[in-house]
């Protein structure tokens, strides 16, 4: 059973600050997805990273897949209250048809 | 196009009762997955259906079951409800089921009293 850890579990910051959240595992993945879940909603896909060392940018969000494809990070620049939500990572690997999610990082950006 | 629709949005049941939740996937999507979300355990995979066949199942007791119909709509059933079954139940649909994007519904908030 793969161990999947997201850190920090909770993060409360002021608008305009930068932050990084992490997703780490003991297993190698073929790809990894990041989702954001806002209160009262289901998770929504932000990005899929596939290649080791890959960096993808989505406006103020920067996603990186580790060289060994066992970890990933999400960096947010100049956070805004609209970034508030639960950030979930979901590695993909093997042939089983399911997503395994980390427990997530609950981010609160205060105005 | 319409997103994933889950009904009902909220449900209150008594211990020992059973409940059926419904999920209508995005048109054309044949894969439907179910997840249980609780503050302590996070999002946990229940099962996944593709073309009316269950392809994968999580580590939940047999009280949790599901099915998928020919139009890809899916239902999950929980029998003999326990207090610990209180959770947000999320359904996700995708076009292939393995590496593509999962589109989630808003969930059904189940409270067992």
């Amino acid at each position: 059973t793969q161990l999947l850890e997201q850190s920090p579990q909770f993060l409360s910051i002021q608008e305009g600050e930068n932050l990084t959240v992490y997703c780490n595992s003991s297993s190698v993945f073929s790809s990894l997805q990041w989702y954001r879940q806002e209160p009262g909603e289901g998770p929504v896909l932000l990005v899929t990273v596939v290649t080791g060392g890959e960096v993808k940018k989505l406006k103020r969000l920067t996603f990186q897949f580790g060289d060994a494809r066992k970890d990933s990070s999400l960096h947010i620049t100049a956070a805004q209250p609209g970034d508030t939500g639960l950030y979930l990572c979901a590695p993909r690997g093997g042939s089983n048809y399911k997503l395994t999610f980390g427990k997530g990082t609950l981010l609160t950006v205060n105005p | 196009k319409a997103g994933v629709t889950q009904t009902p949005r909220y449900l209150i049941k008594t211990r020992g009762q059973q409940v059926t939740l419904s999920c209508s996937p995005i048109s054309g999507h044949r894969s439907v997955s179910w997840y249980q979300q609780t503050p302590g355990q996070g999002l946990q995979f229940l099962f996944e259906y593709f073309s009316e066949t269950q392809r994968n199942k999580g580590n939940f007791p047999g009280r949790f079951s599901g099915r998928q119909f020919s139009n890809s709509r899916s239902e999950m059933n929980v029998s003999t409800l326990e207090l610990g079954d209180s959770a947000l139940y999320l359904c996700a649909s995708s076009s292939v089921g393995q590496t593509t994007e999962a589109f989630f519904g808003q969930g059904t908030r189940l409270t067992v009293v």
Side-chain angles (χ1 to χ4, degrees):
Chain A
T1 303
Q2 67 191 30
L3 292 175
L4 187 63
E5 291 188 7
Q6 286 193 247
S7 60
Q9 190 175 355
F10 301 97
L11 189 56
S12 180
I13 62 171
Q14 294 300 121
E15 182 176 0
E17 292 183 11
N18 301 331
L19 66 113
T20 303
V21 299
Y22 301 91
C23 174
N24 296 291
S25 175
S26 55
S27 303
V28 176
F29 305 115
S30 57
S31 64
L32 186 142
Q33 296 181 326
W34 283 93
Y35 288 77
R36 179 171 67 206
Q37 184 178 18
E38 298 181 8
E41 303 291 331
V44 175
L45 180 68
L46 295 173
V47 77
T48 301
V49 286
V50 179
T51 306
E54 181 178 5
V55 177
K56 279 191 174 179
K57 291 195 172 188
L58 183 66
K59 296 183 181 178
R60 294 174 294 99
L61 279 60
T62 302
F63 303 85
Q64 183 161 9
F65 201 15
D67 291 340
R69 305 204 317 277
K70 298 167 72 172
D71 56 84
S72 181
S73 65
L74 159 58
H75 181 80
I76 301 179
T77 303
Q80 298 177 2
D83 296 326
T84 292
L86 180 65
Y87 288 81
L88 297 157
C89 68
R92 293 282 201 177
S95 61
N96 53 345
Y97 301 96
K98 69 176 184 180
L99 274 173
T100 301
F101 287 90
K103 291 191 177 181
T105 293
L106 185 59
L107 171 65
T108 302
V109 182
N110 302 297
Chain B
K1 56 185 175 182
V4 178
T5 303
Q6 290 189 247
T7 57
R9 287 291 311 277
Y10 303 93
L11 206 48
I12 300 176
K13 289 286 189 178
T14 305
R15 262 186 311 176
Q17 288 187 311
Q18 74 165 19
V19 67
T20 299
L21 312 181
S22 179
C23 173
S24 293
I26 291 172
S27 178
H29 285 188
R30 294 160 65 188
S31 170
V32 174
S33 300
W34 288 90
Y35 295 83
Q36 181 195 67
Q37 187 173 32
T38 59
Q41 298 299 319
L43 262 170
Q44 292 188 289
F45 173 78
L46 280 157
F47 26 67
E48 189 257 358
Y49 288 87
F50 183 84
S51 295
E52 302 179 67
T53 299
Q54 186 182 90
R55 294 196 296 189
N56 208 333
K57 190 177 189 302
N59 296 321
F60 279 82
R63 300 185 297 106
F64 292 82
S65 62
R67 59 178 175 169
Q68 186 180 35
F69 302 95
S70 58
N71 62 357
S72 293
R73 190 178 70 86
S74 178
E75 290 181 347
M76 68 163 282
N77 184 278
V78 188
S79 62
T80 320
L81 283 165
E82 300 177 0
L83 296 180
D85 297 332
S86 294
L88 180 66
Y89 290 88
L90 289 160
C91 160
S93 79
S94 60
S95 57
V96 173
Q98 185 172 357
T99 60
T100 58
E101 177 177 359
F103 293 84
F104 284 84
Q106 289 182 297
T108 294
R109 172 73 63 185
L110 172 65
T111 302
V112 182
V113 298

